[in-house]
Amino acid sequence: MAWTKYQLFLAGLMLVTGSINTLSAKWADNFMAEGCGGSKEHSFQHPFLQAVGMFLGEFSCLAAFYLLRCRAAGQSDSSVDPQQPFNPLLFLPPALCDMTGTSLMYVALNMTSASSFQMLRGAVIIFTGLFSVAFLGRRLVMSQWLGILATIAGLVVVGLADLLSKHDNQHKLSEVITGDLLIIMAQIIVAIQMVLEEKFVYKHNVHPLRAVGTEGLFGFVILSLLLVPMYYIPAGSFSGNPRGTLEDALDAFCQVGRQPLIAMALLGNISSIAFFNFAGISVTKELSATTRMVLDSLRTVVIWALSLALGWEAFHALQILGFLILLMGTALYNGLHRPLLGRLSRGRPPAEESEQERLLGGTRTPINDTS
């Protein structure tokens, strides 16, 4: 069936804003500017402040939800105004996971390339699959186990490409290895978030935009408060600011004041995450969750191509192999092979309900599918 103009718009919006989200964060990391008190020029390395901005973008999804609810006023649209009451505190544990995982990923993005960052996030399939078996009593089919094995192989190839690539002064080999490991660690936390959302949140039939916005609210408030103790906690060589603390928000604002383009990059990151979440949710509703997965894979290609074109990283052929293996693993785990096999065998097309599988058993994505 041909896509409508609105569906094409949603698909394009998801692809563009998703790519902008990662690229704008990396763009901010690449800037050099003076800090407060006449400190010498240094890189903009403020991952926790960037995470606060991302949660602000998610928080704005609440505004989108209430606008949709006002528009649907007087209409019988149960998807906008859920019938079941729920306690907003249900979102606190997933929000804490989201906050931790996102902060780790922003730290890792300072240490590795944007393309490796995007590819290694595919590790979430491994942990969601294992956790779904352990904590939700799921039984994975053979194709999903094969998808997990393929994903592990793809991660090894991508990691090997990072090891063999040439490293400049900005990304030393030790930093790249640490960054890659932090990304994988973050996916464990993201998988826990998905389990919590599946077990405690989805049964309340909460609208996805409301869920994203509520988690964004919790993450924004908690992480903003944590910036205060982070200003005093020493971090040694792990720190990227002149004071050597875990985070120095004042230094970040001074750098933004001296280099306005950093503010543009941060605004791009904040706004893109809001539109990306909205577009992703709409694509799942208007098209299918499989289409959302394919668009997310295309986003990796766009990020990789632009990073190469901008000179942010060097080309390595192993990354192509690693990406293709990761793509195969994702397709197997999410059941993308089923319609293809159905066409090849000229059999009956798969039922529509295959697109509505639950979160960890198939094509569903977490409530908050960030950057």
Side-chain angles (χ1 to χ4, degrees):
M1 186 177 71
W3 286 8
T4 64
K5 291 182 179 179
Y6 178 63
Q7 290 172 334
L8 286 171
F9 168 75
L10 289 175
L13 183 66
M14 180 183 169
L15 183 61
V16 171
T17 55
S19 301
I20 290 174
N21 186 250
T22 299
L23 291 169
S24 60
K26 191 62 182 177
W27 187 33
D29 294 343
N30 289 338
F31 278 110
M32 301 276 290
E34 294 179 4
C36 298
S39 62
K40 64 179 182 180
E41 195 176 73
H42 55 280
S43 298
F44 185 83
Q45 294 187 18
H46 298 281
F48 297 100
L49 185 68
Q50 285 178 289
V52 169
M54 192 214 71
F55 283 116
L56 179 60
E58 289 183 9
F59 179 32
S60 66
C61 288
L62 267 183
F65 166 75
Y66 286 112
L67 284 174
L68 286 176
R69 194 165 74 168
C70 290
R71 183 182 176 184
Q75 301 177 7
S76 57
D77 188 354
S78 60
S79 66
V80 177
D81 194 7
Q83 299 175 355
Q84 275 184 288
F86 74 98
N87 186 350
L89 289 176
L90 282 173
F91 291 98
L92 182 57
L96 291 174
C97 292
D98 189 12
M99 181 183 72
T100 307
T102 299
S103 298
L104 281 177
M105 284 191 279
Y106 273 113
V107 171
L109 190 56
N110 281 311
M111 300 178 174
T112 190
S113 64
S115 62
S116 293
F117 169 83
Q118 196 66 34
M119 291 182 194
L120 291 173
R121 289 180 62 218
V124 71
I125 285 176
I126 301 169
F127 305 111
T128 52
L130 296 177
F131 290 168
S132 69
V133 173
F135 301 110
L136 297 178
R138 293 278 158 72
R139 294 184 63 183
L140 302 183
V141 298
M142 180 58 69
S143 63
Q144 289 176 315
W145 286 114
L146 290 174
I148 289 175
L149 292 176
T151 301
I152 294 173
L155 293 174
V156 171
V157 174
V158 172
L160 187 61
D162 280 343
L163 289 176
L164 298 176
S165 296
K166 294 180 180 179
H167 303 285
D168 51 25
N169 293 328
Q170 184 180 7
H171 293 137
K172 298 178 181 178
L173 178 59
S174 59
E175 291 183 348
V176 170
I177 294 173
T178 303
D180 289 354
L181 291 175
L182 284 175
I183 295 169
I184 294 174
M185 286 174 57
Q187 303 319 302
I188 299 175
I189 299 171
V190 171
I192 295 172
Q193 175 192 347
M194 293 170 73
V195 169
L196 291 172
E197 289 173 348
E198 173 77 5
K199 196 169 183 68
F200 301 111
V201 176
Y202 277 115
K203 64 182 180 181
H204 292 278
N205 192 30
V206 182
H207 190 278
L209 281 177
R210 190 175 190 180
V212 171
T214 306
E215 286 188 13
L217 172 62
F218 281 123
F220 175 73
V221 172
I222 295 171
L223 196 53
S224 295
L225 293 175
L226 287 177
L227 288 179
V228 177
M230 286 180 184
Y231 183 81
Y232 299 100
I233 298 173
S237 59
F238 186 74
S239 171
N241 59 74
R243 295 179 61 252
T245 57
L246 196 57
E247 181 61 281
D248 189 344
L250 295 180
D251 179 69
F253 289 122
C254 288
Q255 285 188 290
V256 170
R258 288 174 171 81
Q259 176 51 274
L261 287 177
I262 298 176
M264 185 181 296
L266 295 178
L267 286 173
N269 188 252
I270 293 169
S271 57
S272 62
I273 191 63
F275 284 105
F276 176 65
N277 275 295
F278 172 77
I281 290 164
S282 300
V283 164
T284 302
K285 181 180 178 182
E286 296 288 333
L287 296 165
S288 70
T290 300
T291 303
R292 183 174 180 175
M293 185 208 74
V294 172
L295 289 171
D296 205 47
S297 299
L298 287 175
R299 178 165 67 115
T300 303
V301 176
V302 172
I303 291 168
W304 186 21
L306 287 176
S307 296
L308 290 171
L310 293 169
W312 290 355
E313 59 184 273
F315 173 79
H316 201 292
L318 271 181
Q319 278 195 317
I320 297 179
L321 178 62
F323 172 71
L324 291 176
I325 297 174
L326 285 171
L327 187 62
M328 181 179 67
T330 304
L332 284 171
Y333 186 86
N334 288 297
L336 191 60
H337 63 289
R338 288 197 290 266
L340 294 177
L341 291 176
R343 287 187 178 185
L344 290 175
S345 62
R346 297 182 181 179
R348 189 177 174 183
E352 290 292 327
E353 63 190 24
S354 65
E355 294 293 352
Q356 307 298 328
E357 294 178 13
R358 293 185 62 75
L359 178 66
L360 300 177
T363 56
R364 283 288 295 275
T365 52
I367 286 177
N368 171 25
D369 185 15
T370 62
S371 332

